[in-house]
Structures are given as structure tokens and as C-alpha cells.
Amino acid sequence: MTCRGKQCTHRAASVRSLYSSGDLTRVNMASKGGRYRGSVKDYPNFDASKDAEALYQAMKGWGSDKETILDLVTTRSNQQRMQVIQAYKSLYGKDLIGDLKYELTGKFERLIVGLMRPPAYFDAKEIKDAIDGVGTDEKCLIEILASRDNQQIHALVAAYKDAYGRDLETDVIKDTSGHFKKMLVVLLQGTREEDDIVSEELVAQDAQELFEAGEVKWGTDEAQFIYILGSRSKTHLQLVFDEYEKIAGKTIEESIKGELSGDFEKLMLAVVKCIRSIRDYFAVRLNKAMKGLGTADNTLIRIMVSRSEIDMMDIRESFRTQFEKSLYSMIKNDTSGDYKLALLNLCGGDDDAAGEFFPEAAQAAMQKWELSATTAARIELKGTIEPAADFNADNDGKALRKAMKGFGTDEDTIIDILTKRTNNQRQEIRKAFKSHYGRDLMADLKSELGGTLARLILGLMMTPAQFDAKQINKAIVGAGTDEKVLIEILATRNNQEIQAINEAYQEAYNKSLEDAISSDTSGHFKRILVSLASANRDESGEDLEKAVEDAKVIASVLEISDSVSDDSTSSETRFMTILCTRSYPHLRRVFQEFIKQTNHDVEHTIKKEMSGDVKDAFVAIVRSVKNKPAFFAERLYKAMKGVGTDERALTRILVSRSEIDLYNIRKEFKNEYEKSLHHCLESETSGDFRKALLAICGGDD
């Protein structure tokens, strides 16, 4: 067995000592009442010599038989693979890993070679790669050190020393800094308490000390967070987190996000997630590795290899519960070739049942709606543009006139002024400009600017209602209709905003908004949009008795209720009325009652039972009710992923949300996609348009 920097064919004895008592991986894999939860098991009637011969023949001559290699390697346990390595050396005097590296390439090679290492040596190699060379892969360090137990950490440290002749702690210290480094060093000790005996007094004490170290203290006492989260047992910390929420009125995760930052914040959040549920942590990591543009193959390989004999079955179950699809199906759709086949073998099976919902997901969906109700009552919505201090409309008007006078245009000045003033202040500037120069500022800006920057700046200069009215008009006129824009605006604005849009539309286009929608859409979709455009959404709280009845109507229309109404037309009308006119707090209660009655989630059911624009409109309403900033974060992400960038969507959302909830959208974006909105805008746009977008974005998270 070859390892970089040092031969390790002689390590069979040391490997066995590291994984004594029948292989360390098997000590921790029985996470459900002692049952084996890995996806790869000992191969029956195993014969190491026959396997070694089969691999030799698969790599002999020109080319290699990759199918034989992947079928054999992915269906043997790690212990069995170690025996195959020894048999290969005895039979042919050659290093099996060296031959595999020679014959295979790319991601497939990385996966197969990873499987041929003992778990501790695999982790050691991953960490070595993470800290070697230019830059550090902090995500890899965080994932491994936050998720391994004491025995695995001890084995990792020993394997690193054996493989590379260096001390892992020393290498980590050299390559990291600050509180991030301190927490990594604590985790590397492998000294987390492991007893299940919990002191209620100590739980209360730790919760209070964490609260005082963060929320109460001016600044944050990071040392207290490091000590408690790095040393207490999982059982103890789970109770501490519950107690903390009672004291602080927020989760420990919310406090960490507010009090800590950078890699240290990411590490502490990973520790908390692994304490709460290690299977949920890895399910989320796998989903993020595959969704969006491109695949984080190193992360995908690392998790599939390292968890295949520990808890892959639990991770699969969690994945399906959280994301309403099987891990198998996502791997199948997101990878290709022999690499895909090997990953699917490690996954061990497909949990999808023809797209059906399943009982475990109902509980998860209920928790999300309960969280939605709690968050809506607690979270303060915040924009990124605030009133400029010492604002002087006359001075701003003069500066803008100077920026556009003569040959050339000073775009930097225009961007700097207009992206740092509120809409009310911009309207004052517009009036001052007219008074001083007898000119229309909007017309001058339109003459001086062009392309995407012109659309953005002119959008900022309109009132919010005028801007929305213009976006709707553009979506309707001309060839084809942009239904997504109509849905995005009408499904997310409140009554006051909708009423203002109606007035602005009538004034700008001499036509009512309802008439414009009716002339360009049809059927149920038209009825939904007209209803939303009527600004008739109730603004009171929830009515439990009414919510129970509303949930029954929704179940009847979606045909998953035992009591289907005879009058389908009447039920469909009531269904639309419920989603388009009930208040957000009431709808959150309705959707929870829907789960209780049907064991289904309303969004999942709408997607399954409906289609086209009607489906998209209702899903947008549901998502807006659940978490409006998250809805817009997803829209922004989709506008930038893939080939090309939807600049109009970026402009529309950043302009319209800049004084409402763009700060919250930024936070949701970072939380969901593990990269900041600022970073994505910087990467996907260019020139003065980028400068203006970044100024509106308001900061890098």
C-alpha cells in the first residue's frame, strides 16, 4: 500500500492495532439499537487471493476493466480490501494502490484509491491534502474534525504520524490561526466526555455561561464557547442547547451566527450540527455538494467513502426526509460514468417510491412550519440601504449634474450617490434637480448611461410601485409573457404594496392592472393573478377552527382526502381563495393542520398534483409564507447559476428588496448556499453594473 512520502505496505499490524476489536468503524456504526447501519458489508464467501487475481487481470495489458474494479472494490468491506492488498503483494510482488493509481484517472481514481485505505489513513490523507500547498481547505478540516468521535480522532492522529512522519496538531497550528485554530486543537485531543450521565445543574450552568459569553457580554468570550462545545458529551450538550434556547429566546445556532464569524463560526456551527444529528449534518453536506452549478466531488467522495460502513443508511433516510428525494437519485442525476456507478454502489440502494411522500418527512415538514411561525414573530426584517446622514438634495443634484456634464460620464459618482440614498431621498434629489436645472434627472441618466447599469440606476430612481408596475408591464407586453416575473411580484407583495402598484400601473399605462393581466393570461392562472392583484389578503392573525376547515378544503382539491367534495368547482375556488386571501399567520397554521390531516406537506403535494404556471404560482405563495427572504435568496441563486446570468432578475430583486429585507435575504443566501451573495455577484457580473449591485448588496457575509 503506497502513501505519499512513505511506504505503508508494512502497516498491516499497525492498521489492525488502530482498528482492534473487530475494526473501529464497526464500534460506532450501530447507531440504531445495535443494528448495522452501513451500506457496505462483508462480502460473503470472500477470498482475498481470488479478488487479487481478478484485479490483476482487470489491469493487465492495454486498458483496464473498470467495471470489474468498481464492482469488486465497492462490494468488499474495508477489512476485506486490506486483505486483498496483502494478497496482491504476495501473489504479484506489486503494490495494488500503485497499480490502481496508474490505471485509473480523475474522480474515479480518487474514489477507488480512497476506498483502499483504512478509514484513519483516508482521513489523514484528506487532511494532508487540505493543508498542503497554496491555501487551506477549511471545509474539509471542519467536516472531519467536527464529526469524528474520540476513537476516530486518536486513530487519525496516529495514522497521520505513521503516514507522513509529522505531528498533525503541529501541522494544523502552522496552517490556521485565531480561535479557529484553538477549537481545531481542542477537537484533535479527542477528549470529549462520553458518559451519558447528565447533571441538570451543570446543564443549566453551561447554558447560562454560554449565554453570558455571547448575548450578554460586550464582545464574545470565545474561550467559553470553545471549552463547553469542545469538551462536553453529546448527550449533555443536546440538553444544554435546549436550555440555552429557553434562556436566550433563540437557538444556539442563531447566537453563533450573530456572535462569531468566518471559519470559526463555520466550525462551531458544524460541531453543533453534529451534536444534534450527525446523519442530518452529512445529509445536508451531500445535498450542498450536488445542488447548483457543478459538483463538489471531493466532498461527495469523502462522505461516501468515510460513512459507507458507519451510518450511510441513516444518512440516506435523513436525506430523503429533508430533501424529498433519494440520495441515490441525486447522485444518479448529478454524476456520470464509472464514477457514478461506484458512488451508487456505495449508496447501497434507492429510497424513492415513485415520488411518493413518506411518513418521516411529515414530521420534518411540521417542524419547518413551526419554525416558520416562530421566526416570523421574532426576526426583524432589514434592508441594506438606510437614510444617508447629513443628506442634502441640492448638493446631490449638483454632483449628479457635474457627473453627466460635458464629454464622458462619471459613473462612479452616480453609483456612489444613488445606491447610498433611500428611495425617498432619491425623489427629493429628482425634485431639486428639476428646480435647479429645469431638466428631468431620469431623462439625463437614461441619456448618459446604457445597458444593465442604466436599467439598475433608473430602477432605483422610480418609486417602488412605479418600478414594480414597469416590471409587470414588461412581463406582459411584447411577444410572450414572463409568467415568473408576474408570480414573483404578485405573490410576494403585501396589500399596501399591491394597491400602490395598481395606482402606478393605471397612471403609467392608462389601463388597470386587472385588465392588463386578464388580457394576457387565461384560465386558473389568470384567476390567481387577478385575485392577488386585488389586494384582498386578510391581515389578522390565525383562526384555528377556520384553519382546520381550510386544510380540509386543500386536501379535497389536492385529492388526498377521504372526504372529497362533490362540487369540485366550488372547492377549487375556495382553494384559490384560501391561498390568495388568508393572512400569512393563518396560512402557516393551515399548512400545519394539513400535515396533521394528511401526513403530507402542502408544497410537496402541490408540486405532485399540479403543473405549469398554476403550480408555480401556488408554490411561490407557499414559499413566501414559509420564508420570504429564503424565497428571494433562491431566485437570486437561480439567476446566477448555470450558463449566463439573468441580470434583469438581479436588478429586479436587489432594487425592490433593498429597503425591505435584502439584509435577511443575504443571510438566507449564505446559510443555504455556503457562499455570500456579495461573492456570487462579484463573480457573475462585471463593470459598473457589478459596482452598483455590490453597493446595494451592502456587504460581504
Side-chain angles (χ1 to χ4, degrees), residues 204-238:
Q205 178 183 317
D206 281 351
Q208 186 64 39
E209 287 183 357
L210 285 173
F211 179 62
E212 291 175 359
E215 296 293 328
V216 174
K217 190 179 178 67
W218 180 261
T220 306
D221 184 356
E222 289 87 354
Q224 200 66 18
F225 275 84
I226 290 171
Y227 173 69
I228 294 174
L229 270 65
S231 63
R232 299 293 195 231
S233 72
K234 287 191 174 184
T235 304
H236 174 86
L237 284 174
Q238 287 166 355

Side-chain angles (χ1 to χ4, degrees), residues 468-488:
D468 279 348
K470 186 174 180 62
Q471 302 307 303
I472 290 174
N473 182 254
K474 280 186 170 292
I476 290 174
V477 299
T481 304
D482 191 339
E483 292 85 359
K484 289 183 179 178
V485 172
L486 297 178
I487 291 169
E488 178 194 297

Side-chain angles (χ1 to χ4, degrees), residues 553 556-557 564-574:
V553 172
S556 173
V557 172
V564 178
S565 171
D566 292 332
D567 187 352
S568 61
T569 303
S570 173
S571 292
E572 287 172 2
T573 300
R574 288 182 65 193

Side-chain angles (χ1 to χ4, degrees), residues 130-150:
I131 58 181
D132 266 0
V134 180
T136 304
D137 184 352
E138 291 85 4
K139 290 181 181 179
C140 174
L141 293 179
I142 290 169
E143 179 194 298
I144 292 175
L145 296 183
S147 65
R148 303 318 192 237
D149 63 25
N150 290 346

Side-chain angles (χ1 to χ4, degrees), residues 172-374:
V172 167
I173 289 172
K174 286 179 183 176
D175 215 61
T176 57
S177 61
H179 298 297
F180 179 57
K181 174 182 72 177
K182 292 175 184 176
M183 185 61 178
L184 290 176
V185 169
V186 167
L187 295 173
L188 276 170
Q189 306 314 302
T191 54
R192 184 177 297 284
E193 296 165 0
E194 294 182 324
D195 59 84
D196 290 329
I197 300 172
V198 176
S199 163
E200 291 183 10
E201 184 178 341
L202 185 57
V203 166
Q205 178 183 317
D206 281 351
Q208 186 64 39
E209 287 183 357
L210 285 173
F211 179 62
E212 291 175 359
E215 296 293 328
V216 174
K217 190 179 178 67
W218 180 261
T220 306
D221 184 356
E222 289 87 354
Q224 200 66 18
F225 275 84
I226 290 171
Y227 173 69
I228 294 174
L229 270 65
S231 63
R232 299 293 195 231
S233 72
K234 287 191 174 184
T235 304
H236 174 86
L237 284 174
Q238 287 166 355
L239 296 174
V240 168
F241 298 159
D242 292 341
E243 185 65 23
Y244 181 91
E245 189 167 356
K246 294 176 186 175
I247 296 171
K250 61 174 68 174
T251 65
I252 187 70
E253 290 93 335
E254 289 174 303
S255 289
I256 287 172
K257 289 175 185 177
E259 297 295 327
L260 309 181
S261 62
D263 293 324
F264 182 48
E265 174 197 343
K266 294 173 186 173
L267 174 58
M268 299 305 268
L269 285 173
V271 169
V272 170
K273 289 172 183 175
C274 288
I275 294 294
R276 287 196 187 277
S277 172
I278 201 160
R279 65 188 225 164
D280 290 351
Y281 170 74
F282 280 115
V284 171
R285 290 281 294 157
L286 285 167
N287 182 59
K288 288 183 176 179
M290 290 183 281
K291 76 175 183 179
L293 178 63
T295 303
D297 292 295
N298 287 351
T299 299
L300 181 56
I301 290 168
R302 186 168 57 247
I303 297 173
M304 297 302 293
V305 169
S306 65
R307 311 311 293 186
S308 60
E309 294 184 47
I310 300 177
D311 54 4
M312 184 56 68
M313 302 299 287
D314 294 331
I315 293 169
R316 276 170 42 182
E317 186 178 289
S318 174
F319 193 98
R320 188 172 180 234
T321 299
Q322 292 189 71
F323 306 112
E324 298 172 14
K325 66 183 78 171
S326 69
L327 175 59
Y328 187 99
S329 67
M330 194 159 187
I331 291 172
K332 188 175 180 180
N333 292 331
D334 209 64
T335 59
S336 61
D338 297 314
Y339 174 57
K340 174 176 75 175
L341 296 175
L343 287 171
L344 293 177
N345 281 359
L346 292 179
C347 183
D350 190 355
D351 302 304
D352 272 348
E356 289 295 324
F357 207 62
F358 45 98
E360 299 94 336
Q363 184 178 0
M366 177 65 83
Q367 289 170 350
K368 288 177 182 177
W369 281 112
E370 289 170 347
L371 178 63
S372 169
T374 304

Side-chain angles (χ1 to χ4, degrees), residues 500-528:
I501 293 170
N502 273 282
E503 293 170 8
Y505 199 95
Q506 180 71 51
E507 182 179 350
Y509 306 108
N510 296 314
K511 187 176 186 180
S512 74
L513 178 59
E514 181 178 335
D515 286 345
I517 291 170
S518 297
S519 64
D520 209 63
T521 57
S522 60
H524 290 302
F525 183 56
K526 177 179 78 174
R527 292 175 61 203
I528 294 166

Side-chain angles (χ1 to χ4, degrees), residues 580-634:
C580 295
T581 66
R582 301 289 195 258
S583 71
Y584 275 24
H586 181 79
L587 284 175
R588 292 187 188 103
R589 175 57 63 188
V590 170
F591 299 151
Q592 290 177 57
E593 291 300 320
F594 180 85
I595 295 170
K596 290 179 184 177
Q597 293 177 22
T598 67
N599 212 32
H600 288 66
D601 177 64
V602 68
E603 181 181 336
H604 181 273
T605 309
I606 288 171
K607 287 178 181 177
K608 184 171 180 287
E609 298 296 332
M610 295 183 172
S611 62
D613 297 327
V614 170
K615 177 194 74 174
D616 293 341
F618 283 138
V619 167
I621 293 170
V622 171
R623 288 189 173 176
S624 183
V625 171
K626 182 182 288 183
N627 186 335
K628 194 177 290 184
F631 170 79
F632 282 114
E634 183 184 32

